[in-house]
Amino acid sequence: QKEVEQDPGPLSVPEGAIVSLNCTYSNSAFQYFMWYRQYSRKGPELLMYTYSSGNKEDGRFTAQVDKSSKYISLFIRDSQPSDSATYLCAALWNTGNQFYFGTGTSLTVIP
Amino acid sequence: GAVVSQHPSWVICKSGTSVKIECRSLDFQATTMFWYRQFPKQSLMLMATSNEGSKATYEQGVEKDKFLINHASLTLSTLTVTSAHPEDSSFYICSALRGGYGYTFGSGTRLTVV
């Protein structure tokens, strides 16, 4: 079993839709959770960085962590064509340690 | 912010030659940097952890003699792919950790070995 599981998609939505991206993880010791966005042929770009359970909001993006169910979510409101990218979730025990990525979900927002 | 610069962004080399990829933290010091490899439509796979002033820690299955890592200063880590072969063609990405900013990634290097 992988440490972090993510549905690879692809996911296609119309512009303006609410997008829900999800990951599950197996290690209850994970404390830090991140979402990265990666455009084609580019390195990943950090979107959200959360510690432990709870929600964190930044503009149109909301990250949610439910440690009881080991579930990580990223919601994108009012999705835009520029949001089309691969979204990677990641988790780690503590800063400075190795962290584990999901395989990424490919998202296309259709104008 | 926390900016990591990676160079070159794209390189083609002949089989059997060596290629060096640089990763620099521009506005912070990074005692630890990480090197990843990514194949098309797959997630990043950690290759090694680069520690300033000491030997790198390689993940299982990664050849130390083929992927040479040097972390000579607090702002620079290099990855040298020695005697490159076509199967080494991939996207290589470095990252560094800065307190309060999490992990920041370089823009990646696409290596093509012909």
Side-chain angles (χ1 to χ4, degrees), chain A residues 34 36 38 40-46 49 88 92 94-99 101-104, chain B residues 34 36 38 41-44 46 59 91 93 95 97 100-108 110:
Chain A
M34 285 157 281
Y36 287 85
Q38 185 177 23
S40 181
R41 299 176 183 272
K42 298 289 185 184
E45 168 196 12
L46 180 65
Y49 178 19
L88 297 151
L92 72 159
N94 204 346
T95 58
N97 292 114
Q98 177 187 346
F99 57 125
F101 281 97
T103 52
Chain B
F34 304 88
Y36 290 83
Q38 186 179 36
K41 299 189 184 298
Q42 294 188 29
S43 187
L44 291 86
L46 180 66
E59 294 300 302
F91 195 51
I93 309 173
S95 76
L97 174 65
Y101 291 87
Y103 289 87
T104 300
F105 285 86
S107 55
R110 183 160 299 282

Side-chain angles (χ1 to χ4, degrees), chain A residues 42-53:
Chain A
K42 298 289 185 184
E45 168 196 12
L46 180 65
L47 277 177
M48 307 284 284
Y49 178 19
T50 56
Y51 172 74
S52 194
S53 280

Side-chain angles (χ1 to χ4, degrees), chain A:
Chain A
Q1 182 187 13
K2 291 183 180 179
E3 297 277 5
V4 179
E5 300 269 6
Q6 184 175 8
D7 185 344
L11 183 63
S12 257
V13 301
E15 184 175 354
I18 295 174
V19 177
S20 173
L21 302 168
N22 306 293
C23 292
T24 58
Y25 63 93
S26 57
N27 194 326
S28 57
F30 286 143
Q31 296 188 82
Y32 295 85
F33 305 92
M34 285 157 281
W35 282 96
Y36 287 85
R37 176 174 60 194
Q38 185 177 23
Y39 293 111
S40 181
R41 299 176 183 272
K42 298 289 185 184
E45 168 196 12
L46 180 65
L47 277 177
M48 307 284 284
Y49 178 19
T50 56
Y51 172 74
S52 194
S53 280
N55 293 356
K56 188 173 184 178
E57 189 174 319
D58 184 3
R60 296 185 294 112
F61 298 89
T62 300
Q64 200 171 70
V65 176
D66 183 347
K67 293 195 75 179
S68 63
S69 59
K70 299 191 183 70
Y71 207 75
I72 315 165
S73 299
L74 177 71
F75 298 97
I76 307 174
R77 291 184 299 280
D78 188 25
S79 56
Q80 303 294 311
S82 58
D83 295 329
S84 299
T86 296
Y87 290 81
L88 297 151
C89 61
L92 72 159
W93 294 292
N94 204 346
T95 58
N97 292 114
Q98 177 187 346
F99 57 125
Y100 297 89
F101 281 97
T103 52
T105 299
S106 174
L107 170 68
T108 301
V109 180
I110 304 166

Side-chain angles (χ1 to χ4, degrees), chain B residues 8-108:
Chain B
S9 58
W10 178 69
V11 59
I12 298 177
C13 71
K14 289 185 178 181
S15 186
T17 61
S18 296
V19 174
K20 180 184 283 189
I21 303 169
E22 292 187 348
C23 182
R24 293 180 185 274
S25 56
L26 295 186
D27 53 355
F28 67 103
Q29 294 181 331
T31 55
T32 303
M33 290 186 178
F34 304 88
W35 287 96
Y36 290 83
R37 185 173 179 176
Q38 186 179 36
F39 291 104
K41 299 189 184 298
Q42 294 188 29
S43 187
L44 291 86
M45 296 296 296
L46 180 66
M47 298 175 65
T49 302
S50 170
N51 301 296
E52 187 269 336
S54 65
K55 290 183 179 180
T57 304
Y58 290 82
E59 294 300 302
Q60 190 174 8
V62 177
E63 298 176 60
K64 300 177 183 182
D65 295 331
K66 182 167 190 59
F67 299 99
L68 299 180
I69 290 174
N70 186 293
H71 197 149
S73 76
L74 286 170
T75 58
L76 175 64
S77 176
T78 60
L79 168 68
T80 301
V81 183
T82 62
S83 186
H85 288 94
E87 57 266 29
D88 298 324
S89 299
S90 187
F91 195 51
Y92 293 87
I93 309 173
C94 67
S95 76
L97 174 65
R98 185 180 188 188
Y101 291 87
Y103 289 87
T104 300
F105 285 86
S107 55

